[in-house]
Amino acid sequence: MMMTLGMMVFMRQTLPYQGMQHNVDYRWPTNSRIGQRATAQFLGPGDEKITLSGLLLPEVTGGKISVASLKALADLGRAWPLIGGDGTIFGMYVIEDINTNSAEFFSDGSARRIEFIVNLLRVDESLTAMFGDLKKQANDLLGQSGNLSSSLQTVVGSLSSQVGGLFS
């Protein structure tokens, strides 16, 4: 697996991409000043886009069915998690557009060569917003496990006294 976008898995049999371009914009608006250089203020990250490009050879790799599957995913109009094959979590992305170019056709009109470009746009605030504060979640789980431990000790104590009562 090279990457997955929601339920679409990019791999040799489906949509193997040969190029990946990752662009992150940062917002720095400026204010003009008289007799001085303009001042700039950092407002935070802007758009984050990923472009996947590749070549499909239906005799060897995926074909028009793979492209149709990606189009069906885009038609749902939802954001999907984008996760790299190495485990990198990129965030939640929508499919902005899909471009295909078919060439070198078989006698039935199906393409031997399909070039594709898929443009993705990140729509979540950040990985922290997506997953929440992991430290807080871990502390909550530890707190709950402490409560569970005391509850289990109470239950075990109660059971042992009841079992002890059976044998006396």
Side-chain angles (χ1 to χ4, degrees):
M1 174 183 86
M2 299 169 70
M3 182 180 289
T4 180
L5 175 67
M7 301 304 290
M8 182 65 195
V9 179
F10 292 87
M11 58 186 191
R12 184 178 196 113
Q13 296 81 7
T14 59
L15 285 171
Y17 55 89
Q18 284 80 39
M20 178 179 164
Q21 183 179 1
H22 189 181
N23 296 322
V24 181
D25 293 331
Y26 295 94
R27 299 178 298 151
W28 284 91
T30 58
N31 290 320
S32 298
R33 299 187 297 177
I34 297 173
Q36 295 179 346
R37 183 175 293 137
T39 61
Q41 181 180 4
F42 180 64
L43 295 182
D47 287 341
E48 186 169 345
K49 296 181 178 190
I50 291 181
T51 300
L52 302 174
S53 58
L55 170 67
L56 299 178
L57 303 170
E59 297 168 314
V60 179
T61 62
K64 66 180 184 178
I65 293 175
S66 297
V67 174
S69 299
L70 189 62
K71 287 178 182 177
L73 198 65
D75 288 343
L76 294 174
R78 294 186 47 202
W80 303 98
L82 183 66
I83 303 171
D86 62 355
T88 302
I89 300 171
F90 291 98
M92 299 295 285
Y93 282 78
V94 295
I95 301 171
E96 279 193 308
D97 59 63
I98 302 168
N99 299 305
T100 58
N101 184 19
S102 301
E104 301 177 24
F105 299 95
F106 289 106
S107 59
D108 66 354
S110 59
R112 285 186 184 186
R113 179 182 173 97
I114 304 170
E115 295 176 17
F116 69 90
I117 298 174
V118 179
N119 290 305
L120 307 172
L121 174 67
R122 185 171 181 178
V123 294
D124 63 333
E125 293 297 319
S126 67
L127 291 179
T128 304
M130 191 164 92
F131 293 117
D133 184 354
L134 296 179
K135 183 177 180 183
K136 182 180 179 311
Q137 291 178 23
N139 288 336
D140 289 347
L141 287 175
L142 287 174
Q144 290 173 3
S145 68
N147 294 341
L148 181 62
S149 174
S150 63
S151 297
L152 285 175
Q153 288 175 355
T154 304
V155 169
V156 168
S158 172
L159 286 175
S160 64
S161 67
Q162 291 175 2
V163 170
L166 291 176
F167 294 109
S168 48

